[in-house]
Amino acid sequence: MNVPGTLVTVTLILFALALVLFLSTRINDSTVLGAGFTFGNFVEAASDPLYRMVVGRSLIIAGLVTLATVGLAYPVAYYAAFHAGRHRGLILFLVTLPFWTSYLLRVFAWKIVLAYNGVLNSGLMELGIIREPILAFLNTPAAVVITLAHAYAAFAVLPIFVALETIPKSYLEAASDLGAKPAETFRRVVLPMSMPGVLSAALVVFVPTVGDYVTPALVGGPSSTMIGSIIQAQFGKADDWPFGAAVAVLTMLVILVVVAAARALDKRFGSRT
Amino acid sequence: MKAAPFRRPRLSGLAIYVGAYLVFLYLPMVLIPLFSFNDSIQAAFPLKGFTFAWYEALLANERMHDALANTLIVGFSAAALATLCGIAIAYCDVSRPSRIARTVSALARLPILIPGVIVGIALLIFVNLAGFGPSRLAIVLGHTCLALPTTVIVMRTRFAAIPRSLEDAAMDLGAREWLTFRKVMLPLSLPAVAAAFLLAFLTSFDEFIVAFFLTGTEQTLPVFIWAQLRFPKELPSVMALGSLILAVSIVIAGAAEFIRRRGAVAREAAGA
């Protein structure tokens, strides 16, 4: 009964990931599986200061995007969970709809906003706020952060909403009966109890952003190269698949550490999921 | 009952914030259709005039027709495969729990925790090893992986909501597992199957990151757009195509949501 499911997951997910791990320990000779065993790819990736800088930048950018996305999403989830009334379904639908539209188009939209001859510059000039187009909008790490925070905005609302939604209303009434003001109820009851949702929101934003290569290429410029860009280049122009696989394995290790940290935090907050 | 401090039906600062958030979400997206009707090569203010020229140029583009056909073939194949696997994996996980079923179900949801670029290279190595290399088939396999978490989650939610007693009753009346599944579980889950298929199709329809690695000579629409972005004079027709893709995505996502909700309402009415 589960034959198709088992076949697909084992070959396309488990086996394909094992191939990445295998290839990362091979010497590049431009064949699919490389020649001979080596740890050289990892040594090169870990020792070269350029790669270390790119890894650091990816973590900083993905971290900032995660903070911004989760921070912006929390009040929306809070409103949907406690205040929206009969509009709740509509708000949740409107927030999740962009999730189902093309991510490439969302990034592209920011390219036309931030470009030299773009919407923002021409709009500001039209309004007489600036005289000359500002170059500094496009091709900066800041452009990458804004674009990604927008592109993944909708991901974060749903997990936080679910966590807020499952808080028993009696807890809130109990807090208020015991004399807590709304702000105190929020700080000591609602916020801690919604942390599992906040953590899973942070994960679903962090994972795709840390490996992104499209946004750096379209709006980031050369100063915003991220890990994903390096992996993509190794499987394209640079044509060094084993090295690209090693960088991919290191990226997965970083993600594993982040997931483990989120799990540990989740335990501290006493997950109810 | 005294008024709880958590329900105040008035236009609060929070409500205004939610409105602003929705504007932030949608405003950049509105620009694409806006400038697709603008009579200028550049996406800049002031607007020059209304035109259908970019849509006409787009519809006359043969390579766009090929890309559209590839996108539809890939989308239907990947959605069919992902839905089939999603049903099997979710059913075994919910109704026949075993260690294998749980492991397969967890594996199927793993792509959520892997950046697209790594899914892309993993499958690129796989399809080269398998011998067929980057091709439409390769993209189908890639998109099946990406859509699998969605179909498994949608189907699991549905199967878990069907009362166990219905299945037990069918078994008591002598139906074997396969018959029970076909005559009881599957008909009760049809809205979820339809929603899972639509969402899987949508995942494939809009997907770029993985398709980029697995595209051979046959491009899908997002890969076609990526290639067009190198040519500034193609910008308006990219926006025309983008507008059409946005419209189709919104219609399909809306339909999936509608079907899922109607399924839920019908269930409540039937007391299930």
Side-chain angles (χ1 to χ4, degrees), chain A residues 2 12 33 72 78 82 94 97-98 100 104 106 108-109 113 117 119 122 126 150 153 177 211 213 232 241 255, chain B residues 2 6 17 21 24-26 28-29 31 35 42 44-46 92 115 117 121-122 128-129 145 206 209 212 222 229:
Chain A
N2 207 353
L12 296 185
L33 287 181
L72 288 173
Y78 184 87
F82 295 121
L94 283 178
L97 187 59
W100 297 110
L104 181 63
R106 272 177 272 157
F108 170 68
V113 169
N117 290 317
V119 173
S122 63
E126 192 70 6
H150 176 262
D177 286 350
Y213 65 88
Q232 189 248 324
W241 288 23
I255 290 174
Chain B
K2 75 172 190 173
F6 281 89
Y17 174 81
Y21 184 83
F24 166 69
L25 271 190
Y26 284 92
M29 308 297 287
L31 294 172
F35 285 104
Q42 267 165 13
F45 288 114
C92 291
V117 63
I121 61 157
N128 274 303
L129 196 66
C145 284
D206 285 330
I209 292 181
F212 175 76
L229 287 179

Side-chain angles (χ1 to χ4, degrees), chain A residues 13, chain B residues 107-112 144-154:
Chain A
I13 297 172
Chain B
L107 263 181
R109 282 170 286 157
L110 191 62
I112 299 176
T144 302
C145 284
L146 291 181
L148 211 48
T150 307
T151 57
V152 169
I153 290 168
V154 169

Side-chain angles (χ1 to χ4, degrees), chain B residues 64-101:
Chain B
M64 198 282 285
H65 294 176
D66 294 342
L68 177 62
N70 289 330
T71 303
L72 294 177
I73 293 169
V74 168
F76 276 105
S77 316
L81 197 54
T83 309
L84 179 76
C85 295
I87 294 171
I89 292 167
Y91 179 72
C92 291
D93 189 12
V94 172
S95 286
R96 302 271 165 280
S98 65
R99 189 177 290 169
I100 296 176

Side-chain angles (χ1 to χ4, degrees), chain A residues 120-168:
Chain A
L120 193 57
N121 269 324
S122 63
L124 289 175
M125 277 161 64
E126 192 70 6
L127 294 171
I129 295 172
I130 56 172
R131 284 251 205 83
E132 303 255 299
I134 296 172
L135 259 176
F137 289 145
L138 203 61
N139 296 335
T140 57
V144 176
V145 173
I146 293 172
T147 305
L148 284 172
H150 176 262
Y152 291 107
F155 284 38
V157 175
L158 226 45
I160 301 174
F161 168 78
V162 171
L164 288 170
E165 157 85 325
T166 52
I167 297 176

Side-chain angles (χ1 to χ4, degrees), chain A residues 61-272:
Chain A
I61 288 183
L64 285 174
V65 169
T66 307
L67 271 181
T69 310
V70 172
L72 288 173
Y74 195 101
V76 179
Y78 184 87
Y79 183 81
F82 295 121
H83 295 274
R86 66 197 168 84
H87 297 301
R88 174 190 278 191
L90 179 69
I91 289 175
L92 288 178
F93 176 68
L94 283 178
V95 164
T96 43
L97 187 59
F99 175 90
W100 297 110
T101 61
S102 172
Y103 149 84
L104 181 63
L105 288 175
R106 272 177 272 157
V107 180
F108 170 68
W110 280 98
K111 190 180 169 67
I112 63 173
V113 169
L114 300 173
Y116 182 75
N117 290 317
V119 173
L120 193 57
N121 269 324
S122 63
L124 289 175
M125 277 161 64
E126 192 70 6
L127 294 171
I129 295 172
I130 56 172
R131 284 251 205 83
E132 303 255 299
I134 296 172
L135 259 176
F137 289 145
L138 203 61
N139 296 335
T140 57
V144 176
V145 173
I146 293 172
T147 305
L148 284 172
H150 176 262
Y152 291 107
F155 284 38
V157 175
L158 226 45
I160 301 174
F161 168 78
V162 171
L164 288 170
E165 157 85 325
T166 52
I167 297 176
K169 297 289 175 287
S170 53
Y171 285 28
L172 308 179
E173 278 156 23
S176 118
D177 286 350
L178 291 171
K181 296 210 167 63
E184 201 181 357
T185 307
F186 174 78
R187 196 167 52 78
R188 296 184 55 179
V189 180
V190 177
L191 191 60
M193 290 195 77
S194 65
M195 280 317 278
V198 170
L199 289 170
S200 50
L203 271 188
V204 291
V205 175
F206 182 83
V207 167
T209 48
V210 81
D212 199 327
Y213 65 88
V214 176
T215 309
L218 279 183
V219 302
S223 62
S224 318
T225 307
M226 288 169 64
I227 310 180
S229 326
I230 289 182
I231 299 174
Q232 189 248 324
Q234 300 305 317
F235 281 81
K237 276 176 294 186
D239 198 29
D240 189 348
W241 288 23
F243 184 67
V247 177
V249 170
L250 291 176
T251 310
M252 285 309 295
L253 285 179
V254 169
I255 290 174
L256 223 69
V257 170
V258 173
V259 171
R263 278 264 165 87
L265 275 175
D266 200 23
K267 280 233 176 75
R268 265 197 55 195
F269 284 106
S271 175
R272 291 157 296 127

